Amino acid sequence: MSAALLTLGLAAAPAAADPWPSASRDGGAAPRQAGTSFRTATEIEQGQRATASGSTGDYLYWSFPADTGQRPTVRATVKLPDTHAAQTWQIDVYDGLRRRQACQYGAQTRAAAADTPSVELACVLRTVRAWSEPWANDPLPGTYYIRLTATGVPTSDLGLPVDAEVRADSRDIGGAAAVDGSLAEPLVPGIATKSEDQQENAAVLAGLQPQDGWASGRWSDRWVWTGMGGVLAALAGVAGYALTRGAGRPVRVPPSA
């Protein structure tokens, strides 16, 4: 019983991991530009800070990979000009099918009062699933797009220079989010047009993938929970039999003389 409970504790450990990893995977210089559309989105790794300079009214795009069992969080900071009117900034996240994904929580849209030096935004997505119904809008493994822009900007502020910084991180939810199914391929633009040998390299429109490769449909700690549940049930059955055996035997009373 002690060994079984210890194994259950180890299986649950990934779900309690720090949701905001402090280590950055910046192998080299961080990207210093952003795309202007889905097709030209700048690719970033999870945990990598990216910066870009633009103008108020522009659409800024980045993309990053997210895999099964991850709960991505996107953060953005916009440094505004010294003098400006009231503005509203918004960050949106789209999946590989360019479906806008809803934020569980976070300041996805924020208003900046006149002459405010900066504005910060955040979007915590739902957990990425390995499989979903065709009609559902669940997050699926693949490429995710970040779009940052200002809405409701006065004409006088259009074109003013701004500096933006974005970062995407994920919390590993583990087997708690496992489902009975998986996609044939992750939702990476262009991957379906490549052969199996070519898929190991960059896809047509998005070349980044998780550090350990795509894990959709592979083993998860859900199997540990299921197996240990069966072991505990068997132990409980043996213990119950040991406690109750013989209780139902009839008591023989010797005949009186």
Side-chain angles (χ1 to χ4, degrees), residues 85-186:
Q87 300 177 2
T88 300
W89 284 82
Q90 180 170 317
I91 187 172
D92 296 300
V93 183
Y94 299 81
D95 65 8
L97 298 179
R98 301 185 185 180
R99 303 177 303 178
R100 183 177 178 274
Q101 293 295 320
C103 300
Q104 279 190 313
Y105 48 88
Q108 181 183 10
T109 302
R110 270 194 171 175
D115 301 335
T116 301
S118 64
V119 60
E120 296 183 355
L121 306 107
C123 176
V124 180
L125 299 177
R126 294 171 294 168
T127 304
V128 178
R129 295 164 53 91
W131 180 85
S132 178
E133 295 288 349
W135 45 263
N137 194 37
D138 296 318
L140 295 171
T143 300
Y144 281 76
Y145 295 93
I146 305 169
R147 186 179 74 179
L148 178 65
T149 188
T151 61
V153 180
T155 305
S156 60
D157 280 3
L158 291 176
L160 291 179
V162 295
D163 293 322
E165 180 182 287
V166 298
R167 173 168 173 160
D169 293 294
S170 287
R171 176 180 177 182
D172 188 7
I173 303 302
V179 295
D180 296 328
S182 63
L183 297 180
E185 297 290 349

Side-chain angles (χ1 to χ4, degrees), residues 23-248:
S24 177
R25 288 170 50 190
D26 296 347
R32 296 186 177 180
Q33 62 180 2
T36 57
S37 66
F38 288 102
R39 294 181 61 87
T40 60
T42 298
E43 295 182 334
I44 61 175
E45 296 276 4
Q46 288 196 30
Q48 184 180 43
R49 296 183 184 275
T51 59
S53 297
S55 301
T56 305
D58 290 347
Y59 285 93
L60 305 178
Y61 287 84
W62 295 266
S63 66
F64 68 94
D67 205 4
T68 302
Q70 295 182 339
R71 180 177 293 169
T73 296
V74 178
R75 294 177 174 178
T77 301
V78 184
K79 296 181 180 179
L80 304 174
D82 295 335
T83 303
H84 64 83
Q87 300 177 2
T88 300
W89 284 82
Q90 180 170 317
I91 187 172
D92 296 300
V93 183
Y94 299 81
D95 65 8
L97 298 179
R98 301 185 185 180
R99 303 177 303 178
R100 183 177 178 274
Q101 293 295 320
C103 300
Q104 279 190 313
Y105 48 88
Q108 181 183 10
T109 302
R110 270 194 171 175
D115 301 335
T116 301
S118 64
V119 60
E120 296 183 355
L121 306 107
C123 176
V124 180
L125 299 177
R126 294 171 294 168
T127 304
V128 178
R129 295 164 53 91
W131 180 85
S132 178
E133 295 288 349
W135 45 263
N137 194 37
D138 296 318
L140 295 171
T143 300
Y144 281 76
Y145 295 93
I146 305 169
R147 186 179 74 179
L148 178 65
T149 188
T151 61
V153 180
T155 305
S156 60
D157 280 3
L158 291 176
L160 291 179
V162 295
D163 293 322
E165 180 182 287
V166 298
R167 173 168 173 160
D169 293 294
S170 287
R171 176 180 177 182
D172 188 7
I173 303 302
V179 295
D180 296 328
S182 63
L183 297 180
E185 297 290 349
L187 299 180
V188 176
I191 196 171
T193 63
K194 291 243 178 195
S195 64
E196 293 184 0
D197 295 335
Q198 292 174 323
Q199 286 178 9
E200 297 179 359
N201 301 320
V204 175
L205 296 178
L208 293 182
Q209 61 179 355
Q211 187 177 19
D212 299 327
W214 298 106
S216 178
R218 295 183 186 173
W219 179 91
S220 72
D221 56 5
R222 182 184 183 187
W223 293 99
V224 176
W225 287 95
T226 303
M228 294 312 303
V231 172
L232 291 176
L235 293 176
V238 172
Y241 174 77
L243 292 174
T244 59
R245 65 176 180 176

